[in-house]
């Protein structure tokens, strides 16, 4: 699932109607295409945007976790780094139905500023 977000290839990973929710704005949006489009927009400003140190756990009772560090270089040369986590809800077929993203936006203030 993290790979699908970084490669922008949804493939068969997401269930129809899958949604993504963010802790920092409490907004829920369709994962496909909205979340993938957000990553594309970030990459236009931060070409080296990535999720490093990815650690995942298998789903238990329909919930898996992905922990990672968001990193990249802003247009002014500043490097940002923000540890984050995804709670990934999956259906009986193993398809992602909901992603809940938890990240401290203070660590991403430079990124948000660069995005306008």
């Amino acid at each position: 699932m993290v790979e699908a977000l970084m490669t922008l290839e949804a493939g068969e990973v997401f269930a129809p109607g899958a949604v993504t929710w963010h802790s920092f704005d409490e907004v829920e949006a369709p994962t496909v295409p909205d979340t993938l489009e957000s990553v594309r927009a970030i990459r236009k400003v931060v070409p080296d945007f990535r999720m490093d140190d990815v650690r995942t756990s298998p789903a238990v009772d329909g919930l898996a976790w992905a922990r990672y560090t968001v990193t990249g270089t802003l247009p002014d040369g500043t490097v940002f780094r923000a540890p984050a986590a995804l709670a990934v809800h999956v259906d009986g077929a193993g398809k992602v139905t909901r992603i809940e993203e938890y990240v401290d936006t203070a660590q991403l203030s430079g990124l948000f500023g660069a995005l306008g």
Side-chain angles (χ1 to χ4, degrees):
M1 194 279 316
V2 171
E3 183 177 327
L5 291 175
M6 292 312 300
T7 63
L8 303 173
E9 296 294 329
E12 299 295 319
V13 174
F14 301 104
V19 295
T20 299
W21 173 89
H22 308 106
S23 65
F24 55 86
D25 60 8
E26 298 187 49
V27 170
E28 183 177 280
T31 301
V32 179
D34 292 16
T35 299
L36 299 179
E37 287 303 318
S38 293
V39 174
R40 283 184 183 94
I42 291 168
R43 285 214 178 124
K44 286 181 183 175
V45 175
V46 181
D48 67 343
F49 176 79
R50 63 194 177 279
M51 298 162 102
D52 291 332
D53 305 320
V54 177
R55 299 168 318 281
T56 60
S57 64
V60 175
D61 296 328
L63 178 65
W65 286 93
R67 293 166 306 213
Y68 55 95
T69 303
V70 177
T71 61
T73 308
L74 299 173
D76 69 1
T78 304
V79 174
F80 66 88
R81 180 180 183 281
L86 298 176
V88 182
H89 299 261
V90 296
D91 63 18
K95 301 218 184 252
V96 175
T97 59
R98 179 180 177 84
I99 298 170
E100 297 172 358
E101 181 178 36
Y102 298 90
V103 62
D104 178 0
T105 57
Q107 295 171 313
L108 295 177
S109 62
L111 174 60
F112 292 143
L115 293 171

